[in-house]
Amino acid sequence: MARIHKKLRQEILKEKIESNPFLTDGELAVLLNVSIQTLRLDRLELGIPELRERTKQMAERAQDKLKAIASNEIVGDLIDLELDKQGISILHITPEMVFEKTQIARGHYVFSQANSLALAVIDAPTALTGVANVKYKMPIHIGEKLIAKAEVIRKRGNKSFIWVKTRNEKQEVFRAKFIMVSLEP
Amino acid sequence: MARIHKKLRQEILKEKIESNPFLTDGELAVLLNVSIQTLRLDRLELGIPELRERTKQMAERAQDKLKAIASNEIVGDLIDLELDKQGISILHITPEMVFEKTQIARGHYVFSQANSLALAVIDAPTALTGVANVKYKMPIHIGEKLIAKAEVIRKRGNKSFIWVKTRNEKQEVFRAKFIMVSLEP
């Protein structure tokens, strides 16, 4: 990309961060074809905090909205949440989450991240899992950062149909369809 | 049931324990319409250990057979195992497994018990979960003892189709179908 005018560049920067708030300054600098110093100045001028602070603010806002599950009951870090619509969480695969022999992540951790996220997006004081259909697409290893996105596809009575797709940095590794049941309407 | 001859009674006792090794002396005494003292004498004469010892022996034998998962990686206590055929595990629902607000068991513990049992029955050095379709049929509460039974329904190439049914003391509370993938044939 050729160098572009600062004002346009800052517009693009804003859009990039809105569509993916998890981009690092380094990644953004590459995308916009500027030095990391320029990128940081742009960010400061726009009043956009750095990645760590951005994530923290998002997480706090997300956790304030929780209804059907307590924040400490979520497996992974909740990063974004719109009740009855969608949610995002991040899980870092640590050594205690893998099988000793294969060093591959144990299936239930990936399930737990998705399952607790599906519960988080429910707009009701209490809810339970009714059905889960899940598919493991790739072995997952220590050190991987799993980003799970939940989307409420449909609601019918006290049932919510929720799809969760989980990616590592490269590709989709897992997907799940949940039917969650709200206990109080 | 009227009182029956001792020899016949001991035959029935043996059958009862074979078909359900988890019956207590009290439960067996009621089933056979004898006092608990008589029941214990019968058991001694037959050389059948008491429930606790019986369970321990079964667990040790089961754990010796494990291939695709280490004993300490199983969620719940493995009680019985025939590779490529079936397995049984028991999970006690403790306070840290329930949601604080509803005191109902978190779905992923029940999933984890079934999932690790499905892995335990695989007759291969390493295996992974491919697909899981699960249904939660009843809310599960603190103190419940969940007995999961896994059965290998079919094998095709490196894929094993395994059903797991989980009961509490009264009824089926959960069932799962897994497709497990062996990594080395």
Side-chain angles (χ1 to χ4, degrees):
Chain A
M1 197 197 288
R3 284 196 170 261
I4 45 179
H5 188 272
K6 175 172 164 183
K7 195 156 178 186
L8 177 57
R9 191 179 68 217
Q10 293 192 343
E11 276 307 307
I12 299 176
L13 174 59
K14 261 170 72 176
E15 278 166 25
K16 292 279 177 209
I17 290 180
E18 264 161 34
S19 72
N20 179 357
F22 308 115
L23 290 169
T24 62
D25 283 353
E27 287 164 341
L28 288 164
V30 169
L31 280 173
L32 294 170
N33 192 28
V34 293
S35 71
I36 199 157
Q37 288 76 8
T38 306
L39 189 282
R40 284 191 183 133
L41 284 172
D42 278 356
R43 221 180 10 74
L44 279 176
E45 284 184 28
L46 291 168
I48 297 173
E50 54 150 356
L51 176 59
R52 187 185 299 267
E53 179 59 25
R54 222 151 62 218
T55 315
K56 197 172 141 239
Q57 287 179 0
M58 288 181 73
E60 284 166 1
R61 279 198 297 270
Q63 282 162 20
D64 284 346
K65 296 182 200 158
L66 285 173
K67 281 194 174 179
I69 183 171
S71 160
N72 63 357
E73 293 174 333
I74 293 178
V75 176
D77 299 315
L78 185 72
I79 291 300
D80 191 21
L81 183 65
E82 281 181 88
L83 287 179
D84 257 357
K85 286 210 175 132
Q86 59 97 21
I88 298 174
S89 80
I90 294 182
L91 180 69
H92 294 267
I93 301 298
T94 55
E96 72 272 16
M97 295 181 191
V98 303
F99 288 111
E100 215 184 314
K101 190 157 60 179
T102 55
Q103 300 283 302
I104 291 173
R106 302 168 67 185
H108 66 255
Y109 285 101
V110 188
F111 178 88
S112 302
Q113 178 188 19
N115 189 205
S116 56
L117 184 62
L119 206 46
V121 299
I122 303 285
D123 189 7
T126 51
L128 292 174
T129 308
V131 169
N133 294 331
V134 313
K135 191 170 183 179
Y136 293 84
K137 301 178 76 177
M138 284 279 156
I140 297 158
H141 301 88
I142 290 183
E144 285 186 21
K145 188 175 80 175
L146 301 187
I147 301 181
K149 292 191 188 180
E151 209 181 329
V152 180
I153 299 297
R154 195 155 45 111
K155 287 191 67 173
R156 211 165 49 193
N158 65 343
K159 289 185 180 153
S160 299
F161 296 74
I162 296 166
W163 288 21
V164 181
K165 294 174 186 171
T166 303
R167 295 176 59 85
N168 63 13
E169 268 121 51
K170 287 187 202 129
Q171 64 213 314
E172 190 174 293
V173 293
F174 172 89
R175 56 165 68 196
K177 291 182 193 174
F178 292 100
I179 304 177
M180 307 300 286
V181 183
S182 308
L183 294 191
E184 292 157 64
Chain B
M1 197 197 289
R3 283 195 172 260
I4 45 179
H5 188 272
K6 176 171 162 181
K7 198 156 176 187
L8 176 59
R9 190 180 69 216
Q10 292 190 345
E11 277 308 307
I12 299 176
L13 174 59
K14 261 169 74 175
E15 278 166 26
K16 292 279 177 211
I17 290 179
E18 265 161 33
S19 72
N20 180 358
F22 307 115
L23 289 170
T24 63
D25 284 352
E27 286 164 343
L28 287 164
V30 170
L31 281 173
L32 294 170
N33 192 27
V34 294
S35 70
I36 200 156
Q37 287 79 5
T38 305
L39 190 280
R40 283 191 185 134
L41 284 172
D42 278 355
R43 223 183 4 79
L44 279 175
E45 283 183 28
L46 292 167
I48 298 173
E50 53 149 359
L51 175 60
R52 188 185 298 267
E53 180 59 26
R54 222 152 60 219
T55 315
K56 196 172 141 239
Q57 287 179 1
M58 289 181 71
E60 284 166 2
R61 280 198 297 272
Q63 281 162 21
D64 283 346
K65 297 182 199 158
L66 286 174
K67 282 192 171 181
I69 182 170
S71 159
N72 63 357
E73 292 174 333
I74 292 179
V75 176
D77 299 314
L78 185 71
I79 291 299
D80 191 20
L81 184 64
E82 281 180 89
L83 287 179
D84 256 357
K85 287 210 175 130
Q86 57 97 22
I88 299 175
S89 80
I90 294 184
L91 180 68
H92 293 268
I93 301 298
T94 55
E96 73 272 17
M97 296 181 189
V98 302
F99 287 111
E100 216 184 315
K101 190 157 59 178
T102 55
Q103 300 284 300
I104 290 173
R106 300 167 67 184
H108 67 256
Y109 284 102
V110 188
F111 178 89
S112 303
Q113 177 188 20
N115 189 206
S116 56
L117 184 61
L119 206 45
V121 299
I122 302 285
D123 189 8
T126 50
L128 292 174
T129 308
V131 169
N133 294 332
V134 311
K135 190 169 182 180
Y136 293 83
K137 300 178 76 176
M138 284 279 156
I140 296 158
H141 302 89
I142 289 185
E144 285 185 23
K145 187 174 82 176
L146 301 187
I147 301 181
K149 292 191 187 179
E151 208 181 332
V152 180
I153 299 297
R154 192 154 48 110
K155 288 190 67 172
R156 210 164 52 191
N158 65 344
K159 287 186 181 155
S160 300
F161 297 73
I162 296 166
W163 288 20
V164 181
K165 293 173 187 171
T166 303
R167 295 177 57 86
N168 63 13
E169 269 122 51
K170 288 190 200 123
Q171 64 212 315
E172 190 172 293
V173 293
F174 172 88
R175 55 166 64 198
K177 292 181 192 175
F178 292 100
I179 304 177
M180 308 299 286
V181 183
S182 309
L183 292 191
E184 293 155 65

